[in-house]
């Protein structure tokens, strides 16, 4: 089976499973367009060490710039 066929099969399986489909979320970073399966209900970013860190750093700079 080719790689594209494997990806298509996984996408079809995801779309056919309502429970897994509910876990599909868009990253909370406005500059990111990734989607991910949030197996943890608190998860907000596609990669906490990348997008999550960028959002936290931006929030930190915004708070300290206004002071």
């Amino acid at each position: 089976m080719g790689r594209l066929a494997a990806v298509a099969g996984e996408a079809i399986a995801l779309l056919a499973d309502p429970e897994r489909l509910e876990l599909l979320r868009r990253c909370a970073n406005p500059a990111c367009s990734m989607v991910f399966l949030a197996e943890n209900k608190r998860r907000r970013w596609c990669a906490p060490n990348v997008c999550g860190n960028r959002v936290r750093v931006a929030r930190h700079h915004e708070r300290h710039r206004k002071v």
Side-chain angles (χ1 to χ4, degrees):
M1 179 184 294
R3 292 181 187 155
L4 185 57
V7 170
E10 287 295 322
I12 291 168
L14 172 66
L15 294 173
D17 185 349
E19 289 180 12
R20 283 186 69 208
L21 194 57
E22 286 182 15
L23 301 176
L24 191 66
R25 294 190 187 155
R26 185 176 186 278
C27 182
N29 181 355
C32 182
S33 62
M34 297 290 288
V35 294
F36 61 94
L37 289 175
E39 294 173 357
N40 178 341
K41 292 181 180 185
R42 295 181 60 196
R43 186 170 172 189
R44 298 176 53 203
W45 301 292
C46 61
N49 60 336
V50 178
C51 284
N53 190 48
R54 288 179 183 157
V55 169
R56 287 188 292 272
V57 167
R59 189 171 45 223
H60 171 80
H61 285 291
E62 184 67 25
R63 277 195 312 260
H64 291 336
R65 187 174 351 141
K66 291 181 178 180
V67 173

